[in-house]
Amino acid sequence: QEGMPQTLSSTSMFTPCGFSPHLHTAKEGEQGGLIFQDGNLTSASLDALIQHLIPTTDYYPEKAYIFTFLLSSRLFIEPHELLSRVCHKCIEQQRLDDPVLDKARIRKFGPKILQLLTEWTETFPYDFQEERMIGHLKDMIHRIAPCDEAYWKKMNQLLQALNQKLATLSHGQEGIVKISSAVSDKLVAFKTKPPSIQREILSVCSDPYTLAQQLTHVELERLSHIGPEEFVQAFVHKDPLDGTKTCFSEQKKTSNLEAYVKWFNRLCYLVATEICMPAKKKQRAQVIEFFIDVARECFNIGNFNSLMAIISGMNMSPVSRLKKTWSKVKTAKFFILEHQMDPTGNFYNYRTALRGAAHRSLTAHSNREKIVIPFFSLLIKDIYFLNEGCANRLPNGHVNFEKFLELAKQVGEFITWKQVECPFEQDPNIIHYLHTAPIFTEDGLYLASYESESPENQTEKDRWKSLR
């Protein structure tokens, strides 16, 4: 249970007593019912789950349920379709179509539906990039607003906050797109060794602490754009009960997630390029030692993603084959780090360190201690296996809610981490370098490597020949 976000920590999140009364009065068959085990909701029909999301005058769903259902529901129904059904059910249940509204009743219901819409817009803002979503939202508020002037104000605040959030996110996305295109324009891929005027990392930043902090800036900036739903949308399959369409097939809305994986790969190659570029063995060894110090500082900060990228860059074969260079390096520190990120036992050492960092983050007093940046591709892999390992639906057609509670636990933890403000001062110069410094392709790395230390065996000689 350690290190989970507060909202998801209680094991009995859904107790039957916290139930909306109208679920029990309905006929079981028609309602589809909700199935509990040890006080936890384990499965239900999609209709019953939607009903359980809907507030009434005297019921409001638990925060953890709202998050879990909004996160996973998109595997079965598109967000605009879900919101439309929620609104229709509210109109029906609260009789919002009646010529004369029951004001007292709606004043009890109003704040609850507004709260639900607020939570939805705050946690899944990307859902509201769609006009239809905003349409449903406004329609709902127009119906209840005659009962209380304050509802208009509340709606304006909600829409303002949403617009601001979407603007920030799209501004960030544009920034990332700009950087990506700037990099490809430069024809990053040196085929051969670049001219010596090429700036190298040590001339831009010679202090490992500073570089680790700037890497942490980049990581947190990129993480902040990833919507929790992207983890689910990355694995959308056809829903067996709806053979006609995949929910999000037209566009898998996972661009921020993909951009983040690209950044990891870029950092690996940047590290390898910086090591293979210098002509002198002594300089190459110096760059390796510098990166070992940067990696160690990333570990101390809790930035496991940059740490893993640096280690991966050093382990690429064009780098690891430089035996004469490595003989000049004090490798003890490197082996300690490598041990931390060792994949054996399903990354047992790393997972232990991550739990430690997550625990520290929960009790932290400063943003500096709150930082947890997980090794991202492993997080995606975990979620992928969780998704592949269990069915979304049970044989009776019910939604396998137990699976989605586990999914929400993993994604919820990630959301807590991505909201940390970066405590370090930003150095635009270094950040620009990290994003735009040219890097070798794999072939370029091998060429540079063979020029630095000539091929050792026939395989290497043949490879060098073909590259030249």
Side-chain angles (χ1 to χ4, degrees):
Q1 289 297 123
E2 224 175 47
M4 266 188 256
Q6 257 28 78
T7 48
L8 296 173
S9 58
S10 87
T11 39
S12 55
M13 273 194 286
F14 310 101
T15 46
C17 58
F19 239 9
S20 51
H22 54 253
L23 276 178
H24 290 303
T25 52
K27 292 198 291 291
E28 268 305 301
E30 164 209 9
Q31 190 53 48
L34 294 106
I35 312 297
F36 285 83
Q37 211 175 349
D38 307 327
N40 289 322
L41 178 53
T42 54
S43 73
S45 68
L46 187 58
D47 278 340
L49 290 171
I50 294 173
Q51 185 62 63
H52 195 47
L53 180 71
I54 294 172
T56 64
T57 50
D58 51 11
Y59 162 77
Y60 188 76
E62 294 207 18
K63 210 178 167 64
Y65 175 75
I66 297 172
F67 176 67
T68 304
F69 184 59
L70 290 181
L71 177 71
S72 55
S73 61
R74 59 202 66 240
L75 288 168
F76 308 100
I77 180 172
E78 290 195 42
H80 72 87
E81 174 71 12
L82 175 62
L83 185 54
S84 160
R85 281 173 68 172
V86 167
C87 291
H88 281 306
K89 285 194 179 208
C90 287
I91 292 165
E92 224 170 85
Q93 285 164 17
Q94 303 303 324
R95 299 199 286 278
L96 298 178
D97 268 343
D98 287 8
V100 180
L101 296 173
D102 178 346
K103 289 196 176 186
R105 174 188 174 134
I106 287 169
R107 282 202 190 101
K108 278 184 174 168
F109 166 73
K112 295 198 169 83
I113 187 69
L114 282 166
Q115 175 62 30
L116 181 69
L117 294 170
T118 306
E119 282 190 49
W120 194 335
T121 55
E122 282 173 356
T123 319
F124 299 96
Y126 289 122
D127 285 353
F128 292 85
Q129 280 173 319
E130 235 191 292
E131 274 305 307
R132 285 183 284 192
M133 291 291 283
I134 302 285
H136 293 315
L137 190 139
K138 285 182 173 168
D139 174 59
M140 193 66 232
I141 294 168
H142 280 267
R143 287 169 182 274
I144 60 172
C147 298
D148 193 331
E149 280 297 300
Y151 295 161
W152 291 117
K153 195 174 154 199
K154 188 80 178 124
M155 172 171 86
N156 283 326
Q157 288 170 336
L158 189 152
L159 289 173
Q160 251 175 326
L162 178 64
N163 282 333
Q164 214 172 347
K165 197 154 188 179
L166 286 172
T168 314
L169 289 167
S170 73
H171 175 71
Q173 280 179 307
E174 277 161 29
I176 286 175
V177 171
K178 265 217 274 304
I179 287 167
S180 309
S181 61
V183 169
S184 55
D185 291 346
K186 257 207 176 122
L187 227 160
V188 169
F190 291 141
K191 285 289 184 246
T192 56
K193 253 195 162 164
S196 54
I197 50 166
Q198 167 63 26
R199 287 194 338 182
E200 85 298 350
I201 190 79
L202 288 170
S203 68
V204 182
C205 175
S206 57
D207 174 41
Y209 288 91
T210 307
L211 187 60
Q213 293 178 353
Q214 298 310 305
L215 285 168
T216 304
H217 249 293
V218 175
E219 299 278 354
L220 284 171
E221 157 72 16
R222 298 202 154 212
L223 276 185
S224 69
H225 299 298
I226 298 172
E229 69 284 353
E230 296 193 37
F231 290 101
V232 175
Q233 281 155 200
F235 307 123
V236 165
H237 295 312
K238 276 198 168 50
D239 181 9
L241 288 196
D242 181 8
T244 51
K245 62 179 181 4
T246 314
C247 292
F248 282 93
S249 57
E250 331 75 75
Q251 56 191 118
K252 275 197 179 164
K253 303 173 182 172
T254 51
S255 53
N256 300 297
L257 196 135
E258 287 160 27
Y260 189 48
V261 173
K262 276 198 187 116
W263 150 253
F264 178 91
N265 294 334
R266 170 171 171 79
L267 183 53
C268 293
Y269 273 85
L270 182 66
V271 168
T273 300
E274 295 287 344
I275 295 172
C276 291
M277 226 167 18
K280 294 197 168 65
K281 181 167 62 193
K282 191 177 154 192
Q283 284 171 309
R284 288 194 300 273
Q286 193 189 351
V287 177
I288 291 177
E289 290 195 334
F290 172 72
F291 274 120
I292 292 171
D293 289 338
V294 175
R296 192 164 78 165
E297 191 47 30
C298 285
F299 180 82
N300 293 337
I301 289 173
N303 177 357
F304 297 105
N305 204 51
S306 293
L307 164 65
M308 196 59 174
I310 295 169
I311 292 176
S312 306
M314 292 186 175
N315 280 328
M316 287 174 82
S317 40
V319 178
S320 60
R321 68 169 290 282
L322 297 171
K323 305 223 175 26
K324 294 177 185 133
T325 304
W326 279 96
S327 69
K328 297 249 173 274
V329 175
K330 302 185 198 69
T331 48
K333 284 191 288 193
F334 180 61
F335 292 138
I336 292 168
L337 288 172
E338 236 188 348
H339 178 66
Q340 281 297 345
M341 302 310 271
D342 179 12
T344 47
N346 192 9
F347 287 90
Y348 179 79
N349 297 347
Y350 157 69
R351 290 181 192 277
T352 308
L354 179 70
R355 269 204 304 280
H359 190 61
R360 173 188 73 185
S361 177
L362 277 181
T363 53
H365 297 298
S366 67
N367 276 344
R368 171 74 182 73
E369 296 168 317
K370 275 190 193 143
I371 298 172
V372 184
I373 300 169
F375 168 30
F376 194 63
S377 38
L378 187 62
L379 176 69
I380 292 182
K381 202 162 131 188
D382 285 347
I383 291 175
Y384 176 78
F385 282 120
L386 168 66
N387 190 57
E388 289 295 300
C390 333
N392 289 339
R393 288 198 192 254
L394 303 174
N396 66 358
H398 273 197
V399 171
N400 181 3
F401 204 73
E402 219 170 349
K403 166 180 177 172
F404 296 120
L405 280 173
E406 186 52 45
L407 182 71
K409 196 168 87 178
Q410 296 195 12
V411 177
E413 198 166 30
F414 168 80
I415 289 185
T416 313
W417 297 335
K418 82 176 189 126
Q419 285 165 344
V420 176
E421 289 270 320
C422 192
F424 310 117
E425 208 176 318
Q426 205 172 358
D427 183 323
N429 211 3
I430 300 175
I431 288 185
H432 182 75
Y433 184 84
L434 288 171
H435 282 314
T436 58
I439 47 179
F440 285 128
T441 54
E442 200 174 348
D443 284 351
L445 282 174
Y446 273 110
L447 259 177
S449 179
Y450 294 143
E451 281 174 33
S452 300
E453 297 186 17
S454 48
E456 299 248 299
N457 54 39
Q458 204 46 52
T459 321
E460 291 193 345
K461 283 178 185 153
D462 293 344
R463 176 149 201 176
W464 196 24
K465 210 160 150 187
S466 72
L467 286 172
R468 282 185 307 181

